[in-house]
Amino acid sequence: MDTAASAISNQAPAPVSLGEAFRYWLKLGFIGFGGPTGQIAIMHQDLVERKRWISEKRFLHALNYCMVLPGPEATQLATYIGWMMHRTWGGVIAGSLFVLPSLAILAALTWTYLVFGDVPLVAGLFYGIKPAVTAIVLFAAWRIGSRALKNAVLWTISLAAFVAIFAFDVPFPYIVLGAGIIGYAGGQIAPGKFSAGGGHSGTEKRYGAALIDDATPTPSHALFRWPRFLLLLAVFLAIWGGALGALVALFGWESTLAQEGWFFTKAALLTFGGAYAVLPYVYQGAVEHYQWLTATQMIDGLALGETTPGPLIMVVAFVGFVGAWTNAALGPEALALAGCAGAVVATFFTFLPSFLFILLGGPLVESTHGNLRLTAPLTGITAAVVGVILNLALFFAWHVLWPAGFSGRFEWFSALIGLAALAALWRYKSGMIPVILGCGAAGLIYRLLAG
């Protein structure tokens, strides 16, 4: 190994300004394809491996916490890292910029979808992008699993979680609870299997010293203090109550916008497991109860959410847009404005609790990153989540390759696109954006030639 290179790699990078961080989080908002697993993989590659803003151990510890929270874990992870680096405003900026580009793009695409309907050009692009997204999720599951599953015990937990959700349809919260209990017990019985590194020495640095390294003391702003906790809680309750109260005052409690604010607040607080776990709840409420959109529109919205940057949970912006448009929330002459308002309302009330969880709970989590008794349950949960992610990749593959069910036609060209995307990501280390663009172009050409 080159000694000079080794010395450089083990020297922490220069401190990062808020402006530099702002530019990175804004860029991430535009390139964050591949759902939560893809976005977490991008952040790991950028912030742990390349920029070395945070060590892998601290990154995974923060990720463990975000995975057990209700809401979008990738957004919460970005908020957590931004908060650690640049205090409260750093967290707010990181989380907001992770979402706002997606909101703008998805609002524009939803308007196009409602105005122009089924456009062959768009359908062709989606045909190629869907198998690419499937490959990205599968590849990201492998990346996370290769870091988290360090011994046979953690592999067994991951396999059990996969079987539980795939074969027995066990709800995700029960899987998280079971894995946490196993992790806690395992930390008492076999602590080496549930410690950082999963039984390996964990002493060598794979990527060099980081700004927030394994042994970096918790910064003063990240220490738990009751006055700060109570102040933040009061501020967030005031923001939430003020926003919902304003909708009620302007449009009435039974109005579409007020009901969207209340519904997406519940969706943010009551559903665990990220975007994929929240989708059944949103489907039941938005399609069956409120009838803001049809089942077909919900599926189309999910396709849009899968193929735009940002969290997959941004499908709520599509739901909010279509619901406000369909019900003419601002009058029949302002459908586009109503749709944009609905998208903003759905996004605001879905993501607001995420900032609360990170800014309130972050100091408590930072106090546990060296405590095996508290981190062992999170290690078990991370192992289980890998199995759940694999199940999601297979779920995507099923719907992409057999869109009409197993009794229908097998989409062989989609399979070829997916395999090519996986090879590009795995073998040739291609970026996600070139893969998505290339697959989208291939799908469009195929659909145009086929008819």
Side-chain angles (χ1 to χ4, degrees), residues 8-211:
I8 292 173
S9 68
N10 284 289
Q11 180 179 357
V16 177
S17 68
L18 183 60
E20 182 181 350
F22 180 97
R23 290 189 292 275
Y24 173 75
W25 298 122
L26 180 61
K27 171 189 171 185
L28 183 63
F30 282 100
I31 68 171
F33 289 90
T37 52
Q39 292 145 9
I40 291 167
I42 291 173
M43 282 190 281
H44 183 275
Q45 190 174 54
D46 286 345
L47 303 184
V48 176
E49 300 177 26
R50 294 176 179 171
K51 297 178 180 293
R52 291 185 287 130
W53 287 2
I54 186 170
S55 72
E56 182 165 70
K57 181 178 177 182
R58 299 288 280 267
F59 180 92
L60 290 176
H61 184 72
L63 176 59
N64 287 341
Y65 173 59
C66 296
M67 282 182 167
V68 301
L69 293 174
E73 62 269 28
T75 307
Q76 291 163 340
L77 180 60
T79 304
Y80 193 107
I81 296 173
W83 164 73
M84 280 290 292
M85 295 184 65
H86 296 107
R87 308 174 69 91
T88 300
W89 277 113
V92 171
I93 289 171
S96 299
L97 292 180
F98 197 86
V99 171
L100 291 178
S102 177
L103 172 61
I105 294 170
L106 198 54
L109 290 176
T110 307
W111 176 85
T112 303
Y113 168 82
L114 290 172
V115 172
F116 296 104
D118 186 15
V119 180
L121 176 65
V122 177
L125 288 172
F126 279 5
Y127 182 83
I129 289 174
K130 287 179 181 179
V133 170
T134 303
I136 287 171
V137 172
L138 182 61
F139 177 69
W142 173 80
R143 284 177 61 90
I144 294 175
S146 66
R147 297 192 302 270
L149 306 180
K150 298 297 186 181
N151 56 61
V153 173
L154 298 179
W155 272 100
T156 301
I157 293 174
S158 181
L159 178 61
F162 172 79
V163 172
I165 196 168
F166 179 83
F168 300 103
D169 201 24
V170 176
F172 184 82
Y174 294 142
I175 293 176
V176 168
L177 178 62
I181 292 172
I182 293 172
Y184 178 81
Q188 310 300 311
I189 299 170
K193 299 297 184 182
F194 291 86
S195 62
H200 294 263
S201 64
T203 57
E204 65 173 342
K205 297 180 182 295
R206 292 178 58 190
Y207 311 111
L211 282 174

Side-chain angles (χ1 to χ4, degrees), residues 161-400:
F162 172 79
V163 172
I165 196 168
F166 179 83
F168 300 103
D169 201 24
V170 176
F172 184 82
Y174 294 142
I175 293 176
V176 168
L177 178 62
I181 292 172
I182 293 172
Y184 178 81
Q188 310 300 311
I189 299 170
K193 299 297 184 182
F194 291 86
S195 62
H200 294 263
S201 64
T203 57
E204 65 173 342
K205 297 180 182 295
R206 292 178 58 190
Y207 311 111
L211 282 174
I212 304 173
D213 217 340
D214 293 354
T216 301
T218 300
S220 59
H221 71 270
L223 297 174
F224 181 80
R225 297 183 180 90
W226 274 112
R228 175 189 176 278
F229 180 93
L230 295 174
L231 176 62
L232 275 173
L233 182 60
V235 168
F236 272 93
L237 288 175
I239 293 173
W240 173 80
L244 187 60
L247 292 176
V248 174
L250 289 171
F251 306 108
W253 174 249
E254 297 297 332
S255 67
T256 299
L257 293 177
Q259 287 297 302
E260 286 185 346
W262 177 238
F263 173 72
F264 287 111
T265 296
K266 293 186 293 182
L269 294 174
L270 299 179
T271 53
F272 292 81
Y276 304 107
V278 78
L279 288 175
Y281 182 82
V282 172
Y283 178 89
Q284 286 180 333
V287 176
E288 297 177 359
H289 179 69
Y290 290 104
Q291 298 182 346
W292 289 330
L293 71 171
T294 66
T296 300
Q297 288 175 326
M298 183 71 185
I299 295 172
D300 292 340
L302 180 58
L304 285 175
E306 290 173 356
T307 53
T308 52
L312 179 57
I313 194 60
M314 284 302 298
V315 69
V316 302
F318 176 89
V319 173
F321 193 112
V322 176
W325 173 294
T326 302
N327 290 281
L330 300 181
E333 71 286 349
L335 296 181
L337 183 60
C340 290
V344 170
V345 166
T347 303
F348 177 84
F349 285 98
T350 296
F351 285 92
L352 181 64
S354 294
F355 291 95
L356 175 65
F357 295 143
I358 297 303
L359 297 179
L360 281 187
L364 294 172
V365 174
E366 276 302 302
S367 68
T368 69
H369 68 78
N371 188 329
L372 177 63
R373 182 172 61 87
L374 297 174
T375 57
L378 297 181
T379 300
I381 289 169
T382 302
V385 167
V386 173
V388 174
I389 292 171
L390 178 60
N391 172 71
L392 294 170
L394 294 181
F395 178 82
F396 275 4
W398 172 41
H399 284 277
V400 169

